[in-house]
Amino acid sequence: MMKNFKIKSIYIACGLLTFASSISSCKKDFEDPSRASVDVALGSSQALSAVAVGIQRTYTLNRTGVLFNSITASGFSGNELKLLNSGNIPELQLSTGGNAVDGTNTILFNMWASSFKVIDESNKVIAGAEALGDKAYASGLIGYVTIFKALSLGTISTFWQQVPVTIGKNVPFVNRTDGYKTAIAAIDNALAKIAANPISTQFSGTVPNLNIENTLHALKARYALFSGQYALALTEAGLVSLSSGSSFTFDNANINILNSVIASNNVFQPIDANLGLGGAFAPDVTDKRLVFYTKMEGSPATIRMNGFAATTTTPIPIFLPGEMILIKAEAYARQTTPDLNNSLIELNKVVTKTTDIFGVTASLPALVGPYTQAQLLDLIYKHRSIELYASGLKLEDMRRFGRPVSEMKRSFMPYPFQERDNNTNTPANPTF
């Protein structure tokens, strides 16, 4: 049975508007003066639970959240999305690409700032949970917020070449691969806490739950793959149940932000019916994922985003079963001694899939080899691009699979001016 996060109101507000206008750098002064100090509030399990749900809201809701901005930045940079209105200046910069993208871009700033807010407050919840007497409740809290901490560390490591992984004044930057490894270390800590003290039913009833362990293993597999740890990625993907999904759920008060943007038909839509793929990577016309992710609508009819942006309450998965299968396929193909037979077997599980807990099915005939390693990796890239459309992962995939920069609007992002102005360790912006 699929277990989902459920967005609910909490008595400790997120303070996103105040935070977005006042945050400057990795000093990370995230406290909202209109609410009680998070440090003061974290003395009880009830308060810790409230702040934990607030962390989820920071990650998932509104156009300031990490979720929306990572999908948008990757979608434009990886040619998944087309701009509908050039008056949307941040989107126009990303759609144009190259040097048009600069440190003033609010999509990048919101993604950067919201990610570090999530990391900062997750650290506080984890520290508070460590002090609780009820270790089974504490392990649930730690696992829950670690999902968002890992996602945020993974996000900044996807879009920037060097990243801070600590909170404070003038914090140092590390290589983005170390950002992924920091996410994995956080996941390992959470899994160890859960192994020592399985998550209590009381925690499940207090904070809306999901299959936390499954999600942590899925994210560990993702970031192991992204950091070149192929054996680890293969192992972790194998630990993930593909029949138990995890997704961000929404309601009428806390809506799916992708649907809100798409419904306006004034910001962006899919770039085309082939999801931006052409030539050897063009999808098969009978691929059922195309009609899952896109639809024709309006008068005259134009292409619109469907799938996980279909309605105001459509859940957005944290990971797809197909992602785990494709991680296995890629890890087999990239091992020191490539295992191309098992790689093709895993790839064909996605190609021929006719059932899926989220409805993402290609329903195509199996691919018949033999293929060289290069040919197989090209096929894996193609099917990741279709299976994981508009997931925020496309830009990382393009770099990892060695796609030419001519196919990208931008490879790595410039640092927000707010960070540069307040952190002397901020690196020079990458060239493109």
Side-chain angles (χ1 to χ4, degrees), residues 249-271:
T249 61
F250 306 93
D251 56 34
N252 291 332
N254 303 282
I255 65 172
N256 178 321
I257 187 60
L258 283 179
N259 174 265
S260 176
V261 171
I262 297 304
S264 73
N265 204 34
N266 189 48
V267 183
F268 58 72
Q269 293 289 0
I271 192 167

Side-chain angles (χ1 to χ4, degrees), residues 10-316:
I10 58 172
Y11 64 83
I12 298 182
C14 292
L16 273 176
L17 293 178
T18 300
F19 131 76
S21 63
S22 63
I23 179 177
S24 57
S25 73
C26 282
K27 178 175 181 286
K28 303 299 180 283
D29 289 328
F30 289 123
E31 303 304 333
D32 180 350
S34 67
R35 64 170 174 155
S37 165
V38 170
D39 292 321
V40 173
L42 297 186
S44 71
S45 60
Q46 184 182 24
L48 285 164
S49 299
V51 175
V53 177
I55 288 168
Q56 177 179 332
R57 293 173 64 90
T58 300
Y59 188 90
T60 59
L61 295 183
N62 305 313
R63 290 182 68 167
T64 53
V66 183
L67 183 65
F68 171 78
N69 289 295
S70 62
I71 290 172
T72 302
S74 182
F76 280 117
S77 299
N79 288 305
E80 293 180 313
L81 303 175
K82 67 178 177 183
L83 182 67
L84 300 181
N85 183 346
S86 60
N88 297 299
I89 301 303
E91 288 86 353
L92 175 62
Q93 285 188 2
L94 291 166
S95 177
T96 304
N99 292 329
V101 186
D102 62 27
T104 66
N105 190 284
T106 55
I107 289 172
L108 299 181
F109 169 70
N110 285 333
M111 180 164 53
W112 180 272
S114 291
S115 292
F116 282 108
K117 179 177 173 65
V118 166
I119 294 165
D120 180 57
E121 294 202 348
S122 295
N123 287 343
K124 291 175 180 177
V125 170
I126 291 167
E130 293 276 12
L132 292 178
D134 186 344
K135 298 304 180 185
Y137 191 93
S139 70
L141 274 170
I142 292 169
Y144 179 72
V145 299
T146 296
I147 289 170
F148 298 99
K149 177 179 178 179
L151 283 166
S152 296
L153 284 164
T155 295
I156 60 171
S157 300
T158 293
F159 290 94
W160 284 277
Q161 277 185 319
Q162 298 180 61
V163 298
V165 294
T166 53
I167 304 297
K169 294 182 179 181
N170 273 339
V171 294
F173 283 65
V174 300
N175 184 279
R176 70 191 194 91
T177 300
D178 291 325
Y180 289 134
K181 291 179 179 178
T182 301
I184 291 171
I187 292 168
D188 284 341
N189 175 68
L191 289 171
K193 299 296 183 186
I194 294 167
N197 295 282
I199 298 170
S200 69
T201 55
Q202 183 188 5
F203 174 81
S204 300
T206 304
V207 176
N209 200 9
L210 79 167
N211 192 331
I212 290 176
E213 289 183 77
N214 210 42
T215 305
L216 290 170
H217 283 297
L219 294 178
K220 185 175 177 182
R222 177 186 293 174
Y223 299 136
L225 182 74
F226 290 177
S227 57
Q229 301 178 81
Y230 303 123
L232 180 60
L234 190 60
T235 298
E236 290 298 314
L239 294 174
V240 178
S241 168
L242 304 185
S243 61
S244 178
S246 297
S247 56
F248 305 120
T249 61
F250 306 93
D251 56 34
N252 291 332
N254 303 282
I255 65 172
N256 178 321
I257 187 60
L258 283 179
N259 174 265
S260 176
V261 171
I262 297 304
S264 73
N265 204 34
N266 189 48
V267 183
F268 58 72
Q269 293 289 0
I271 192 167
D272 57 36
N274 282 340
L275 312 180
L277 298 168
F281 299 113
D284 189 297
V285 293
T286 62
D287 192 326
K288 292 185 177 180
R289 293 171 297 187
L290 300 180
V291 293
F292 176 85
Y293 280 118
T294 68
K295 61 184 176 181
M296 297 298 291
E297 192 172 271
S299 182
T302 57
I303 192 163
R304 307 284 181 89
M305 189 178 287
N306 194 30
F308 303 118
T311 73
T312 57
T313 58
T314 299
I316 298 178

Side-chain angles (χ1 to χ4, degrees), residues 1-15:
M1 179 179 179
M2 183 174 69
K3 298 179 181 179
N4 297 332
F5 282 126
K6 184 70 176 177
I7 304 288
K8 290 187 177 179
S9 299
I10 58 172
Y11 64 83
I12 298 182
C14 292

